[in-house]
Amino acid sequence: MRLENFTYEHSLKLRFLILDYLFITDDFETHYKIVQEFEDMMQISFVTLKDVCDYFKLLQNRKKYFSSLISNGYLYVQEKREEIHSLSGLIHKKQVMDLNYFIYVLHDYKNNILKWRNWEKFFPGLSEAITNVQLENEKSFISETEQFFLITKAIMGYPNSIDVISTLSFFEYCEYLLKDEKWLLLEQDYLITILSILKQNQDKSSEFFKQNQKIRKRIQKFAQKNGINVD
């Protein structure tokens, strides 16, 4: 699949999905390697220092604070330092400057979290209750983001990586696209790939045959409604 065919808006949404997957997690090292695999597969760099700076600044502006972001930000700094160490000349100098700027953005984000949470010392009981709710929401967000990104990654690598998706997970993913993440289906290449996978799964003896046909018809109807050619 060629990302060059994606609209700028949808490419940006995909980039932010990847950044959420990378930084809002309890397992940064594993996610970092998987994102690098995805970049190698697509032959595109999604996580440049500029992208990461913009991402942290956007979250700060929206006052979105996650418990894992600061620690994962510093782990990212370590990874980039190792990568930059092998560079030389002007490229090395530019990367060092960009990394130093990200460290500044990271410190600023951390300071704003501390300011935002300053009220907690005055209301310890309320603080504990809110923190518990935030942690539960974060766990749910991490789980949903992980599944959504990994299935998206597999579909974009179709047919080489589709076998990592279970049939039920794929159907749930399609339902989620139709309900909440229609932007991916609005990309012709992506929608056609989804239909190709459904077409390959048309074994009438399968327990999922009816469900497969139902979802396929719904996606075809979506394509027709939005003027997307799937022939």
Side-chain angles (χ1 to χ4, degrees), residues 22-34:
L22 178 60
F23 286 105
I24 306 174
T25 176
D26 297 322
D27 190 2
F28 177 83
E29 289 82 0
T30 298
H31 284 212
Y32 189 73
K33 290 176 183 176
I34 290 172

Side-chain angles (χ1 to χ4, degrees), residues 1-6 11-12 14-15 18 34-48 51 149 156:
M1 189 177 300
R2 295 179 62 83
L3 282 180
E4 292 88 344
N5 296 333
F6 274 42
S11 296
L12 200 61
L14 179 62
R15 196 176 297 272
I18 294 166
I34 290 172
V35 168
Q36 286 184 314
E37 289 174 4
F38 186 56
E39 289 180 323
D40 291 341
M41 180 179 75
M42 303 306 299
Q43 297 185 329
I44 294 177
S45 179
F46 291 99
V47 189
T48 67
D51 294 324
F149 171 72
M156 298 190 83

